[in-house]
Short mmCIF file of all heavy atoms in Angstrom, two decimals:
data_model
loop_
_atom_site.label_atom_id
_atom_site.label_comp_id
_atom_site.label_asym_id
_atom_site.label_seq_id
_atom_site.Cartn_x
_atom_site.Cartn_y
_atom_site.Cartn_z
N ILE A 37 -6.84 7.07 5.09
CA ILE A 37 -6.36 8.19 4.26
C ILE A 37 -6.15 7.64 2.85
O ILE A 37 -5.33 6.73 2.65
CB ILE A 37 -5.07 8.81 4.85
CG1 ILE A 37 -5.41 9.45 6.21
CG2 ILE A 37 -4.48 9.84 3.89
CD1 ILE A 37 -4.22 9.97 7.00
N PRO A 38 -6.90 8.16 1.86
CA PRO A 38 -6.94 7.49 0.55
C PRO A 38 -5.68 7.66 -0.27
O PRO A 38 -5.51 6.99 -1.30
CB PRO A 38 -8.13 8.14 -0.15
CG PRO A 38 -8.34 9.43 0.53
CD PRO A 38 -7.84 9.29 1.93
N SER A 39 -4.78 8.55 0.17
CA SER A 39 -3.53 8.75 -0.57
C SER A 39 -2.40 7.93 0.03
O SER A 39 -1.25 8.06 -0.39
CB SER A 39 -3.17 10.23 -0.57
OG SER A 39 -3.33 10.77 0.73
N GLU A 40 -2.71 7.09 1.02
CA GLU A 40 -1.67 6.26 1.63
C GLU A 40 -1.84 4.80 1.21
O GLU A 40 -2.91 4.38 0.75
CB GLU A 40 -1.71 6.39 3.15
CG GLU A 40 -1.35 7.79 3.60
CD GLU A 40 -1.23 7.95 5.12
OE1 GLU A 40 -1.30 6.93 5.84
OE2 GLU A 40 -1.08 9.09 5.56
N GLY A 102 5.22 14.38 -6.23
CA GLY A 102 4.15 14.81 -7.11
C GLY A 102 4.21 16.28 -7.50
O GLY A 102 4.02 16.63 -8.67
N SER A 103 4.48 17.15 -6.52
CA SER A 103 4.52 18.58 -6.84
C SER A 103 5.64 18.90 -7.84
O SER A 103 5.39 19.60 -8.83
CB SER A 103 4.69 19.41 -5.57
OG SER A 103 3.54 19.28 -4.78
N GLY A 129 -9.38 19.62 -6.30
CA GLY A 129 -8.07 19.75 -6.95
C GLY A 129 -6.93 19.67 -5.94
O GLY A 129 -7.14 19.31 -4.77
N HIS A 130 -5.74 19.99 -6.40
CA HIS A 130 -4.55 19.96 -5.54
C HIS A 130 -3.93 21.34 -5.53
O HIS A 130 -4.18 22.15 -6.43
CB HIS A 130 -3.55 18.93 -6.10
CG HIS A 130 -2.35 18.70 -5.24
ND1 HIS A 130 -1.09 19.13 -5.59
CD2 HIS A 130 -2.22 18.07 -4.05
CE1 HIS A 130 -0.23 18.77 -4.64
NE2 HIS A 130 -0.90 18.13 -3.70
N LEU A 131 -3.11 21.63 -4.52
CA LEU A 131 -2.41 22.93 -4.45
C LEU A 131 -1.72 23.26 -5.76
O LEU A 131 -1.75 24.40 -6.22
CB LEU A 131 -1.37 22.89 -3.33
CG LEU A 131 -1.83 23.17 -1.90
CD1 LEU A 131 -0.69 22.85 -0.94
CD2 LEU A 131 -2.28 24.60 -1.75
N THR A 132 -1.08 22.25 -6.37
CA THR A 132 -0.31 22.48 -7.61
C THR A 132 -1.20 22.60 -8.85
O THR A 132 -0.70 22.70 -9.96
CB THR A 132 0.70 21.35 -7.86
OG1 THR A 132 -0.03 20.11 -7.93
CG2 THR A 132 1.74 21.27 -6.78
N TYR A 179 -7.50 14.47 -9.94
CA TYR A 179 -7.80 15.21 -8.71
C TYR A 179 -7.36 14.46 -7.45
O TYR A 179 -7.02 13.28 -7.53
CB TYR A 179 -9.32 15.49 -8.67
CG TYR A 179 -9.80 16.00 -10.01
CD1 TYR A 179 -10.56 15.19 -10.86
CD2 TYR A 179 -9.42 17.26 -10.47
CE1 TYR A 179 -10.95 15.64 -12.12
CE2 TYR A 179 -9.80 17.72 -11.73
CZ TYR A 179 -10.56 16.90 -12.54
OH TYR A 179 -10.92 17.33 -13.78
N THR A 180 -7.46 15.16 -6.31
CA THR A 180 -7.07 14.50 -5.06
C THR A 180 -8.27 14.18 -4.17
O THR A 180 -8.12 13.45 -3.19
CB THR A 180 -6.09 15.36 -4.23
OG1 THR A 180 -6.76 16.53 -3.83
CG2 THR A 180 -4.85 15.72 -5.01
N ALA A 181 -9.41 14.76 -4.47
CA ALA A 181 -10.57 14.49 -3.61
C ALA A 181 -11.84 14.47 -4.45
O ALA A 181 -12.82 15.13 -4.13
CB ALA A 181 -10.67 15.54 -2.50
N ASP A 205 -3.20 14.65 -13.89
CA ASP A 205 -2.45 14.26 -12.69
C ASP A 205 -3.25 13.11 -12.09
O ASP A 205 -4.28 13.33 -11.44
CB ASP A 205 -2.38 15.46 -11.74
CG ASP A 205 -1.82 15.11 -10.38
OD1 ASP A 205 -1.63 13.91 -10.10
OD2 ASP A 205 -1.58 16.04 -9.59
N ALA A 207 -2.43 10.97 -9.80
CA ALA A 207 -1.80 10.46 -8.57
C ALA A 207 -2.71 9.53 -7.76
O ALA A 207 -2.28 8.47 -7.33
CB ALA A 207 -1.34 11.63 -7.71
N HIS A 208 -3.95 9.96 -7.57
CA HIS A 208 -4.82 9.14 -6.71
C HIS A 208 -5.23 7.84 -7.36
O HIS A 208 -5.33 6.80 -6.69
CB HIS A 208 -6.06 9.95 -6.30
CG HIS A 208 -5.87 10.58 -4.97
ND1 HIS A 208 -6.36 10.03 -3.81
CD2 HIS A 208 -5.20 11.69 -4.61
CE1 HIS A 208 -6.01 10.78 -2.79
NE2 HIS A 208 -5.30 11.80 -3.24
N THR A 231 2.01 10.45 -8.70
CA THR A 231 2.84 9.93 -7.62
C THR A 231 2.79 8.41 -7.72
O THR A 231 1.94 7.85 -8.42
CB THR A 231 2.34 10.38 -6.23
OG1 THR A 231 0.95 10.11 -6.14
CG2 THR A 231 2.59 11.85 -6.00
N HIS A 233 2.99 6.31 -4.85
CA HIS A 233 2.78 5.66 -3.55
C HIS A 233 1.32 5.55 -3.12
O HIS A 233 1.04 5.17 -2.00
CB HIS A 233 3.55 6.45 -2.47
CG HIS A 233 3.34 7.93 -2.52
ND1 HIS A 233 4.13 8.76 -3.28
CD2 HIS A 233 2.42 8.72 -1.94
CE1 HIS A 233 3.71 10.01 -3.15
NE2 HIS A 233 2.66 10.00 -2.34
N LYS A 234 0.41 5.91 -4.00
CA LYS A 234 -1.00 5.85 -3.56
C LYS A 234 -1.60 4.52 -4.02
O LYS A 234 -1.10 3.48 -3.57
CB LYS A 234 -1.73 7.08 -4.10
CG LYS A 234 -1.13 8.38 -3.54
CD LYS A 234 -1.91 9.61 -3.97
CE LYS A 234 -1.40 10.85 -3.28
NZ LYS A 234 -0.49 11.66 -4.12
N ARG A 240 7.37 6.34 -2.03
CA ARG A 240 6.93 7.74 -2.02
C ARG A 240 7.72 8.50 -3.08
O ARG A 240 8.87 8.87 -2.86
CB ARG A 240 7.18 8.31 -0.62
CG ARG A 240 6.74 9.72 -0.37
CD ARG A 240 6.55 9.96 1.10
NE ARG A 240 5.47 9.11 1.57
CZ ARG A 240 4.17 9.42 1.49
NH1 ARG A 240 3.80 10.57 0.98
NH2 ARG A 240 3.25 8.57 1.91
N LEU A 320 -12.11 6.47 -3.09
CA LEU A 320 -12.28 7.43 -1.99
C LEU A 320 -13.69 7.99 -1.94
O LEU A 320 -14.45 7.88 -2.89
CB LEU A 320 -11.26 8.57 -2.11
CG LEU A 320 -11.35 9.59 -3.24
CD1 LEU A 320 -12.37 10.69 -2.96
CD2 LEU A 320 -10.00 10.25 -3.45
N ASN A 348 -8.47 12.27 6.88
CA ASN A 348 -8.09 13.68 6.93
C ASN A 348 -9.31 14.57 6.72
O ASN A 348 -10.19 14.25 5.94
CB ASN A 348 -6.97 14.03 5.93
CG ASN A 348 -7.39 13.89 4.50
OD1 ASN A 348 -7.39 12.80 3.95
ND2 ASN A 348 -7.76 15.00 3.89
N ASN A 350 -11.35 17.54 5.28
CA ASN A 350 -11.33 17.96 3.88
C ASN A 350 -12.53 18.87 3.60
O ASN A 350 -13.62 18.61 4.12
CB ASN A 350 -11.45 16.72 2.98
CG ASN A 350 -10.65 16.85 1.70
OD1 ASN A 350 -9.55 16.32 1.61
ND2 ASN A 350 -11.17 17.56 0.73
N ARG A 366 -12.16 13.03 4.36
CA ARG A 366 -11.91 12.25 3.16
C ARG A 366 -11.41 10.87 3.59
O ARG A 366 -10.48 10.77 4.39
CB ARG A 366 -10.84 12.98 2.33
CG ARG A 366 -10.55 12.37 0.99
CD ARG A 366 -9.42 13.12 0.28
NE ARG A 366 -8.16 12.98 1.00
CZ ARG A 366 -6.95 13.05 0.43
NH1 ARG A 366 -6.84 13.30 -0.86
NH2 ARG A 366 -5.86 12.92 1.14
N1 DSN B 1 -1.36 15.23 -0.49
C1 DSN B 1 -1.93 14.26 -1.39
C2 DSN B 1 -3.21 13.72 -0.91
O1 DSN B 1 -3.28 13.40 0.26
O2 DSN B 1 -4.14 13.58 -1.68
C3 DSN B 1 -2.02 14.77 -2.75
O3 DSN B 1 -0.75 14.94 -3.24
#
Side-chain angles (χ1 to χ4, degrees):
I37 294 173
S39 45
E40 294 186 7
S103 293
H130 186 251
L131 277 171
T132 58
Y179 314 107
T180 65
D205 171 351
H208 264 262
T231 50
H233 48 271
K234 298 185 173 99
R240 183 158 296 276
L320 69 81
N348 66 278
N350 215 100
R366 185 183 65 153

